[in-house]
Amino acid sequence: MATINFYLDKADKKGFSPIHLRINCGGKQIKISTGEKIMSKDFDKDKQLAKPSYEKSMELNHYLNYLKERADELFDNPSKKVYTNAEVKDILNGYISNFKEDNNVSIVKEQLALYGKPVTFIDLFAGAGGFSEGFLQAELNNKFYDFIVANDINENCELTHEVRYNHQLGLDAKFLCQDITEPDFLDNLLEKIDGKQVDVVCGGPPCQSFSLAGKRKKFDKKDDLFAHYLEVIKILQPKYFVMENVKGILTKEKGKIKEEILKEINSIVDIKEVPKLASFVKSLKKSKKNDEFILDCLVKRVNMEQFGDEKSEQAREEYIKYVESKFRQLTPKIVDYKTSKTDQRISTIRHGFNMLIRNKQWETLKRDIIKEKDFCNIDNDYFVNAFTEFLHELDSSEIIKKIEEAFNNLHVAKSYKAECDHIISALKIYTLNFDDSLEYIYKYCNKKQESELNKIIDDIRLYKIESPFVANASNYGVPQNRERVLFIGCRKDQKFISEVPRTVEEKDKVTVFEALYDLDFVGNDEEAHHYELVDISKQYNGTAKKMKSLLKTRTIDGKVNSKEGKSFADWSREGRLNGRFKNATAPFYVRNYEALRNGEKVFDILHNHKTSKQNENVLKRLDIILQEGDYKSAQCKLDECGLSSNKRNYNVLKPEKQSPTVMTIPDDYIHYNTPRALTVREMARLQSFDDSFVFQGKRSTGGNNRKTEVPQYTLVGNAVPPLMARAVAMEILKNIK
């Protein structure tokens, strides 16, 4: 057994004594300087800690306890090798130097341009920061990225961001922890941006947010996230924007969702060109006297595109009032006075206009109801249908349907039917996106006018996009077959980008073994705080030669380069930020914001490398599945041994291949060499995060907490792989003006 304590060395001229760590074991002694000093009056020799009266007692005592724990581990863990005195010193000095480094840094208030001009970007739905990480790795011809703002709704996302980008890298990147659907989100985002030009916006609205207008049946918090993402694009008008989503979005609702997304992107207009289109529509009235009302409505609809959020609401209200005034003029012609005051059909039309005029208020009410519905977990119960029906009825398109039904049931005389139809058409134009409203304009054009309109539309569309493309992360040096859809919007004054070329050929893709082999030194219910040497020859005996052949040297983007490259594991350990952040400090972990405020930081050499505690039966089950090669093949043997499980699937990692898509639940995967689940760090490797990127907060969560908490495993599983993001960022740097 080792005896571990702290003692004070001789005081300096100012009365401060260095604190030393002393270890006695087997008649030998190791002394290590902690790098900290304290006056003897502030140090409790019995408790081996700073007294509460000392100003920084909480932070210092956390550090001393942390060092003692790490020293204890080196001597008291029988499953590990016996360390020499020199190895003990090296390991502990690693922790100590990280702590000293952190205490000598201050957060930079402005990122200095090292060379050239930075390209600015913001990251929406940022999560852990996969997009952010990849963009900061990208450099080309004196161009690099300046990180301005990230956004997400969860505090642990913000904590992970702040520790990585503010404390560790010293950036002044802001974080907006707010729901994008909140009424003041845009104002708060613009305040964080602080007048800077934004060149690129990236982000991935969750796939649940895509639905066809008026056809939503579920109504949850994620319903309108895509629309709000595009609202940010409309306001900021970046040179490029990147939207990432799951591959299934291409076939959702038989491809209609994809087409709807492209229409919405095509509906973002160059505000300067709007008056030209409005003038063109006005000119159509000369030859279309009978359609003046509809053409006036189209002019008003076109002009709405010029306005920001507040003015747009005002313009929409004025639009409905204009259509309502047409109905008021028509009412005495189609019904008598008594009917106009008492008839249910007329009341439906009149009240429908009132509801449309108050659209903003209804939308606020809907958002609040949806929040409460989600908070109370209303789904698959007796309550859900009532909520769904009510929310569905508040949709503008549903209100207009009832107005149309009321008009049809009035059985208006033929001489006034056209005017009624015009009112219905005007209301439908109100609900259309800009791209669809153009179809109405084409109806009133001859061939010559069509040609003129085509030219105006080409000029007015702010972004060029033909179609999304499917990107497989493994094509960009990520050891994972993760297919994602990327929509890249290119502003009309920028070069068009239709896809991101692969950086790695099929035969050279990074394998699971390359990514994880050097981390394979932990067993069940163990946590590693520093790297251990992995001897492939000992671990794999007869197959060592085959396993070693899987290791390749590569450039940062995954290309095989035997002369100048590094292994994937080395890139992960040394980092991919290209030495750009020379003042970066050592990574650290904190459990929450309170710990960060109190200075309770953990300065391990290796972070997030802890295995789950699994019972004997689970370990036997995993071992059988591992030996059989996959879950399906193992079913009979599991049944025989009484180890069958209700779990839908286990993915056995194949060392010579890429992993399947990394999700948020570690128990879904079985390590290729040991019957256990993956650690956070191993999943992060499969996503291509550097080891210096520390995931903060809780490791995992369960049950209903999954709705609100974003622990480490969720941060990793939901992230965009940084190397794929880097490839996107590099393609933009190649083309951006």
Side-chain angles (χ1 to χ4, degrees):
M1 282 289 291
T3 305
I4 302 167
N5 57 30
F6 296 99
Y7 72 94
L8 300 185
D9 209 342
K10 186 178 177 182
D12 61 19
K13 291 178 182 178
K14 294 182 179 178
F16 287 92
S17 299
I19 305 174
H20 287 277
L21 174 67
R22 180 169 48 205
I23 304 169
N24 291 302
C25 185
K28 294 181 180 179
Q29 191 174 84
I30 303 171
K31 294 180 182 178
I32 302 172
S33 170
T34 66
E36 288 295 295
K37 293 181 177 181
I38 194 170
M39 288 188 172
S40 59
K41 67 180 179 64
D42 293 323
F43 192 75
D44 189 323
K45 291 182 181 178
D46 295 329
K47 292 183 179 178
Q48 301 274 291
L49 294 171
K51 294 177 181 177
S53 57
Y54 178 58
E55 186 183 3
K56 293 185 177 180
S57 63
M58 191 176 290
E59 184 175 343
L60 178 58
N61 289 341
H62 167 78
Y63 170 56
L64 296 178
N65 283 327
Y66 159 74
L67 273 185
K68 191 172 185 301
E69 282 176 14
R70 293 296 176 265
D72 276 332
E73 282 177 357
L74 295 177
F75 290 93
D76 294 344
N77 193 335
S79 66
K80 293 296 179 190
K81 58 178 258 187
V82 176
Y83 296 99
T84 65
N85 285 9
E87 286 175 325
V88 170
K89 272 193 167 185
D90 282 345
I91 293 168
L92 293 177
N93 276 326
Y95 301 137
I96 290 165
S97 65
N98 285 355
F99 176 82
K100 285 159 73 175
E101 197 176 291
D102 179 76
N103 278 292
N104 292 330
V105 74
S106 59
I107 296 174
V108 176
K109 291 304 173 194
E110 184 177 354
Q111 185 186 359
L112 300 176
L114 305 182
Y115 38 75
K117 187 179 178 183
V119 174
T120 56
F121 79 97
I122 68 171
D123 188 357
L124 303 177
F125 307 98
F131 261 131
S132 306
E133 196 71 9
F135 270 64
L136 289 175
Q137 290 174 10
E139 300 178 23
L140 183 73
N141 300 332
N142 291 341
K143 287 190 285 189
F144 64 99
Y145 285 96
D146 180 12
F147 189 10
I148 299 178
V149 180
N151 151 255
D152 212 295
I153 61 170
N154 187 270
E155 188 180 87
N156 201 36
C157 297
E158 182 176 16
L159 178 62
T160 298
H161 165 100
E162 185 175 326
V163 170
R164 174 63 169 173
Y165 299 114
N166 300 143
H167 289 268
Q168 193 184 340
L169 299 186
L171 300 182
D172 190 30
K174 304 290 194 301
F175 195 98
L176 176 58
C177 193
Q178 185 180 12
D179 188 333
I180 197 170
T181 66
E182 294 290 337
D184 60 349
F185 175 84
L186 269 169
D187 290 337
N188 292 335
L189 179 64
L190 291 172
E191 186 180 330
K192 296 275 186 187
I193 292 169
D194 195 24
K196 294 177 184 173
Q197 174 187 305
V198 176
D199 295 317
V200 183
V201 174
C202 54
C207 61
Q208 296 97 316
S209 70
F210 297 96
S211 56
L212 292 176
K215 295 197 175 179
R216 290 173 290 173
K217 296 296 182 187
K218 191 173 180 187
F219 292 101
D220 63 31
K221 269 173 71 177
K222 296 175 180 176
D223 247 355
D224 285 331
L225 299 181
F226 164 66
H228 285 85
Y229 177 84
L230 283 193
E231 281 303 312
V232 175
I233 304 300
K234 288 175 186 177
I235 297 300
L236 298 181
Q237 303 201 342
K239 294 175 181 176
Y240 291 94
F241 69 86
V242 185
M243 192 171 72
E244 176 260 3
N245 218 274
V246 294
K247 187 180 175 184
I249 203 71
L250 298 180
T251 53
K252 191 174 181 183
E253 297 191 29
K254 298 180 179 177
K256 290 179 183 177
I257 294 297
K258 180 194 77 172
E259 295 305 317
E260 197 73 15
I261 291 169
L262 292 173
K263 276 184 182 179
E264 292 293 343
I265 292 171
N266 284 326
S267 293
I268 303 173
V269 303
D270 184 346
I271 293 170
K272 301 190 298 295
E273 299 292 335
V274 170
K276 194 187 294 183
L277 179 60
S279 296
F280 173 81
V281 178
K282 280 181 188 174
S283 71
L284 296 176
K285 292 200 295 184
K286 295 173 187 175
S287 57
K288 303 287 180 183
K289 294 291 182 185
N290 293 334
D291 299 307
E292 282 192 15
F293 171 70
I294 286 291
L295 289 168
D296 280 338
C297 288
L298 283 167
V299 170
K300 290 178 183 297
R301 174 65 190 86
V302 166
N303 279 327
M304 283 182 198
E305 299 299 323
Q306 298 181 80
F307 307 123
D309 195 38
E310 196 171 318
K311 280 192 175 180
S312 176
E313 282 300 327
Q314 190 179 335
R316 292 175 75 81
E317 187 178 318
E318 287 172 1
Y319 182 101
I320 295 298
K321 285 180 178 177
Y322 178 70
V323 180
E324 184 189 31
S325 70
K326 179 75 172 175
F327 170 67
R328 282 181 183 168
Q329 294 167 20
L330 179 64
T331 305
K333 300 175 186 177
I334 58 174
V335 293
D336 57 41
Y337 179 78
K338 184 181 177 183
T339 303
S340 73
K341 296 298 181 186
T342 59
D343 190 87
Q344 188 182 31
R345 295 162 296 180
I346 295 294
S347 295
T348 298
I349 297 167
R350 188 178 289 126
H351 299 163
F353 278 116
N354 291 341
M355 291 179 75
L356 292 171
I357 287 168
R358 300 277 293 174
N359 179 66
K360 186 176 182 181
Q361 288 77 8
W362 285 114
E363 286 298 321
T364 301
L365 178 62
K366 277 167 65 177
R367 187 175 60 249
D368 290 342
I369 291 172
I370 289 167
K371 275 187 179 178
E372 287 301 318
K373 172 180 169 288
D374 284 359
F375 185 81
C376 296
N377 297 322
I378 291 173
D379 192 17
N380 191 31
D381 52 37
Y382 291 171
F383 303 107
V384 70
N385 287 340
F387 275 93
T388 300
E389 288 303 318
F390 177 62
L391 291 164
H392 191 62
E393 292 297 313
L394 296 181
D395 197 273
S396 294
S397 59
E398 289 303 307
I399 294 168
I400 291 166
K401 276 183 188 175
K402 287 201 167 42
I403 293 174
E404 184 175 13
E405 184 184 350
F407 266 116
N408 291 337
N409 290 336
L410 278 170
H411 307 297
V412 175
K414 267 189 179 180
S415 52
Y416 298 112
K417 187 74 168 62
E419 288 183 73
C420 294
D421 290 343
H422 276 169
I423 289 172
I424 297 300
S425 294
L427 290 176
K428 288 180 178 177
I429 288 168
Y430 168 81
T431 64
L432 296 177
N433 62 32
F434 179 75
D435 204 52
D436 282 338
S437 64
L438 293 175
E439 296 301 317
Y440 263 89
I441 300 173
Y442 273 110
K443 291 178 185 177
Y444 300 99
C445 294
N446 57 37
K447 284 195 174 179
K448 184 181 176 184
Q449 290 166 331
E450 272 186 26
S451 179
E452 187 182 346
L453 179 57
N454 287 338
K455 174 68 173 68
I456 293 171
I457 289 171
D458 282 344
D459 291 339
I460 206 169
R461 291 198 200 284
L462 190 60
Y463 289 97
K464 293 173 285 185
I465 184 167
E466 289 176 358
S467 62
F469 69 96
V470 177
N472 190 327
S474 63
N475 291 334
Y476 306 103
V478 181
Q480 176 191 175
N481 278 316
R482 187 187 191 94
E483 287 190 313
R484 286 295 184 266
V485 170
L486 295 177
F487 293 80
I488 300 182
C490 315
R491 206 170 69 190
K492 63 181 183 178
D493 60 337
Q494 300 294 313
K495 287 185 180 179
F496 182 64
I497 297 174
S498 60
E499 63 177 349
V500 178
R502 66 190 301 158
T503 61
V504 182
E505 295 304 315
E506 190 70 31
K507 63 182 178 63
D508 293 329
K509 287 184 175 182
V510 181
T511 63
V512 166
F513 186 74
E514 285 184 82
L516 302 184
Y517 84 94
D518 66 317
L519 296 176
D520 189 14
F521 51 80
V522 286
N524 183 48
D525 191 26
E526 288 183 356
E527 182 171 12
H529 304 289
H530 61 272
Y531 299 98
E532 298 275 3
L533 181 65
V534 172
D535 189 329
I536 296 175
S537 298
K538 285 184 179 178
Q539 273 199 355
Y540 293 92
N541 295 321
T543 60
K545 188 175 179 182
K546 177 190 171 186
M547 303 313 284
K548 284 180 181 178
S549 72
L550 296 174
L551 302 180
K552 298 177 182 178
T553 52
R554 304 171 178 275
T555 55
I556 189 172
D557 56 7
K559 287 190 186 78
V560 173
N561 187 324
S562 57
K563 293 180 181 178
E564 299 174 6
K566 298 177 188 176
S567 70
F568 183 92
D570 284 343
W571 276 115
S572 299
R573 289 165 73 150
E574 295 172 28
R576 298 177 175 90
L577 291 171
N578 286 333
R580 175 180 158 196
F581 300 95
K582 290 179 180 176
N583 294 322
T585 60
F588 65 84
Y589 165 80
V590 288
R591 65 182 184 276
N592 52 34
Y593 261 111
E594 184 182 0
L596 181 62
R597 283 191 295 270
N598 294 336
E600 296 171 8
K601 303 171 184 177
V602 175
F603 291 97
D604 288 336
I605 311 302
L606 173 63
H607 291 269
N608 305 127
H609 199 38
K610 177 180 171 63
T611 54
S612 304
K613 184 176 183 178
Q614 294 174 313
N615 64 41
E616 194 173 328
N617 280 345
V618 172
L619 291 175
K620 286 178 182 175
R621 180 185 303 127
L622 296 184
D623 193 33
I624 290 170
I625 298 168
L626 180 61
Q627 299 307 319
E628 295 296 318
D630 67 72
Y631 191 34
K632 191 174 181 182
S633 303
Q635 291 295 343
C636 291
K637 196 165 184 180
L638 290 173
D639 289 341
E640 287 173 17
C641 300
L643 293 170
S644 58
S645 167
N646 291 327
K647 193 168 173 61
R648 190 169 54 187
N649 195 27
Y650 286 99
N651 292 292
V652 179
L653 297 184
K654 307 297 181 186
E656 73 283 2
K657 295 182 179 178
Q658 291 71 48
S659 82
T661 300
V662 169
M663 308 294 274
T664 59
I665 301 173
D667 295 347
D668 287 351
Y669 309 92
I670 301 175
H671 192 277
Y672 59 86
N673 190 43
T674 317
R676 63 171 177 83
L678 300 183
T679 68
V680 170
R681 180 51 52 203
E682 286 170 324
M683 287 177 74
R685 283 276 188 97
L686 295 178
Q687 282 277 59
S688 75
F689 278 96
D690 290 348
D691 289 2
S692 62
F693 191 108
V694 181
F695 298 88
Q696 308 296 332
K698 293 166 64 174
R699 278 178 66 247
S700 61
T701 193
N704 284 332
N705 289 339
R706 284 190 178 141
K707 290 189 174 185
T708 55
E709 294 180 347
V710 183
Q712 295 169 17
Y713 278 113
T714 304
L715 284 172
V716 176
N718 285 342
V720 174
L723 278 181
M724 188 169 86
R726 181 187 183 277
V728 173
M730 288 293 287
E731 192 64 18
I732 291 173
L733 285 184
K734 288 175 191 172
N735 290 282
I736 198 166
K737 296 178 187 175

